[in-house]
Amino acid sequence: MKGIIHYIQDHTESTNQANTALKSFKQHGCDVKLKPGITPSVLNNYDNYKVLENSRLESFLVNDNNERKYKVKKSCVLNNIEFAK
């Protein structure tokens, strides 16, 4: 079985858990690899998509006027897109 383990880079607990999972999967013959997840701090490196006008994602920025929340939600969306690829 092929798989990807997303983790939060520079986050000790996430990295430790990812490495534990990697070891376990490999012991059971799975073809898995680690991949750093997209977070607000690296969002600009992956931000190749336009946000749909009047979308739920856009509403976090426009309606809530909360850029932090918007970046967290957009990171989640981009992680899902990367996972689907």
Side-chain angles (χ1 to χ4, degrees), residues 1-84:
M1 174 174 74
K2 285 191 162 209
I4 296 172
I5 301 169
H6 274 141
Y7 68 101
I8 302 170
Q9 198 167 10
D10 301 325
H11 186 281
T12 303
E13 289 84 3
S14 180
T15 302
N16 289 343
Q17 182 62 41
N19 285 319
T20 299
L22 179 67
K23 182 180 175 185
S24 178
F25 277 113
K26 288 199 177 271
Q27 285 177 341
H28 291 90
C30 298
D31 181 14
V32 295
K33 63 181 181 178
L34 296 176
K35 183 174 182 182
I38 300 168
T39 61
S41 63
V42 297
L43 184 60
N44 291 335
N45 298 338
Y46 297 88
D47 198 0
N48 300 322
Y49 299 94
K50 284 188 169 185
V51 175
L52 293 174
E53 198 172 314
N54 299 317
S55 67
R56 171 121 169 93
L57 182 57
E58 184 190 56
S59 75
F60 289 111
L61 187 59
V62 175
N63 297 337
D64 295 345
N65 196 24
N66 188 335
E67 187 172 354
R68 182 179 179 279
K69 188 174 186 179
Y70 168 77
K71 287 183 174 183
V72 168
K73 298 296 184 181
K74 190 166 188 181
S75 296
C76 291
V77 168
L78 293 177
N79 276 307
N80 281 301
I81 291 170
E82 288 291 313
F83 181 73

